[in-house]
């Protein structure tokens, strides 16, 4: 039972344009959502997060949107840069100390 | 920032042998660490939660006698894969929970295990 789903395994975007990565979840008990960036053969690095009491959180070029009614969140990267090329995982947890449930990841490729 | 290290970064072992992977929080104390496993192009699957000074909590389907976890100090957790088989070949990643109300997790760089 995949509680967190990233249905797009890959995404290719031109440098300078917007990258939109999507994530859906099924567990209505999730109250905190995170995005991680991962390079091959490395551990994930934290990017940005959002609490379920908010619908938007912004940090520089990265913005996360949360639509609780649709159980959907998205990560926007504007403008995209070649260095953003990596695998992006969304993750969710149901309580402050709860375990993280990860999606399958989306491989972003930003072309110069 | 918070740094988590893993050692070794990669290891090759023969079937039937055991291999130990270390996870260290370098600049903070972590009462809780996590062990994940990732297959190629797949998600990170939580294997177990490691609590300092107590037994690890294993996820459903993970054999606790095969994947031994020890969290002997606030900065070190170890995962020992016992009697390794080729199907245990995978990328193992640990994370450490940063103390405080944010419950942030910081991940190690991972260990590539190949069992021949």
């Amino acid at each position: 039972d995949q509680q967190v789903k990233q249905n797009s395994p890959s995404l290719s975007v031109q440098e300078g344009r917007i990258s939109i990565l999507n994530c859906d979840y099924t567990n209505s008990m999730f109250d905190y959502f995170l995005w991680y960036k991962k390079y091959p053969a490395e551990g994930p690095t934290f990017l940005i997060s959002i609490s379920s009491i908010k619908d938007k959180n912004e940090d520089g070029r990265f913005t996360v949107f949360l639509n609780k009614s649709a159980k959907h969140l998205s990560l926007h990267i504007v403008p995209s840069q070649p260095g953003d090329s990596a695998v992006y995982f969304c993750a969710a947890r149901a309580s402050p100390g709860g375990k993280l449930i990860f999606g399958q990841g989306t491989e972003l490729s930003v072309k110069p | 920032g918070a740094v988590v290290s893993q050692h070794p970064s990669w290891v090759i072992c023969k079937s039937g042998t055991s291999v130990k992977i270390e996870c260290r929080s370098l600049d903070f104390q972590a009462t809780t660490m996590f062990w994940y496993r990732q297959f190629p192009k797949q998600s990170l699957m939580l294997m177990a939660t490691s609590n300092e000074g107590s037994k690890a909590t294993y996820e459903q389907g993970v054999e606790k006698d095969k994947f031994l976890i020890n969290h002997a100090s606030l900065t070190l957790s170890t995962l020992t894969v016992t009697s390794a088989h080729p199907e245990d070949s995978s990328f193992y990643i640990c994370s450490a929970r940063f103390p405080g109300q944010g419950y942030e997790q910081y991940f190690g760089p991972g260990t590539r295990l190949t069992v021949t």
Side-chain angles (χ1 to χ4, degrees):
Chain A
D1 177 29
Q2 190 75 27
Q3 297 185 64
V4 179
K5 297 180 183 179
Q6 293 175 256
N7 292 317
S8 297
S10 63
L11 174 68
S12 183
V13 171
Q14 204 68 33
E15 181 180 6
R17 306 294 287 267
I18 184 172
S19 295
I20 301 177
L21 297 101
N22 294 303
C23 180
D24 297 296
Y25 62 96
T26 58
N27 190 340
S28 58
M29 298 301 292
F30 288 146
D31 66 356
Y32 198 71
F33 305 87
L34 308 92
W35 284 94
Y36 286 86
K37 179 179 180 179
K38 185 181 181 300
Y39 294 110
E42 293 185 12
T45 54
F46 171 73
L47 204 54
I48 193 170
S49 63
I50 188 167
S51 165
S52 60
I53 62 174
K54 295 186 176 183
D55 55 17
K56 177 182 174 181
N57 188 25
E58 193 172 352
D59 183 3
R61 296 185 297 114
F62 303 91
T63 303
V64 56
F65 295 92
L66 175 63
N67 182 332
K68 284 181 63 179
S69 61
K71 294 191 177 67
H72 176 83
L73 65 155
S74 61
L75 173 68
H76 292 210
I77 306 174
V78 181
S80 301
Q81 300 173 353
D84 296 329
S85 298
V87 177
Y88 289 78
F89 289 94
C90 71
R93 68 180 188 213
S95 62
K99 60 188 181 186
L100 290 178
I101 306 298
F102 284 85
Q104 307 97 310
T106 296
E107 184 172 8
L108 173 65
S109 175
V110 180
K111 301 191 182 302
Chain B
V3 179
V4 176
S5 70
Q6 275 183 247
H7 178 80
S9 55
W10 60 271
V11 58
I12 302 173
C13 70
K14 292 182 183 287
S15 287
T17 62
S18 296
V19 60
K20 180 186 285 187
I21 303 170
E22 293 186 348
C23 177
R24 293 181 185 272
S25 55
L26 297 185
D27 49 4
F28 65 99
Q29 293 184 329
T31 56
T32 304
M33 292 185 174
F34 303 88
W35 286 96
Y36 294 83
R37 183 175 180 176
Q38 185 189 23
F39 291 102
K41 298 199 180 292
Q42 293 191 25
S43 180
L44 281 74
M45 300 301 297
L46 179 65
M47 298 174 65
T49 301
S50 167
N51 297 297
E52 188 267 337
S54 65
K55 290 183 179 180
T57 303
Y58 290 82
E59 294 299 302
Q60 191 173 8
V62 177
E63 298 176 61
K64 61 180 181 182
D65 295 329
K66 179 168 186 60
F67 298 99
L68 301 179
I69 291 172
N70 183 277
H71 194 157
S73 78
L74 288 172
T75 59
L76 173 64
S77 176
T78 60
L79 168 68
T80 301
V81 183
T82 63
S83 186
H85 289 282
E87 56 264 31
D88 298 326
S89 298
S90 190
F91 192 60
Y92 293 87
I93 308 174
C94 74
S95 72
R97 178 181 286 163
F98 193 81
Q101 299 221 337
Y103 296 93
E104 302 297 337
Q105 286 186 36
Y106 292 88
F107 287 80
T111 297
R112 168 71 59 193
L113 170 63
T114 301
V115 184
T116 60

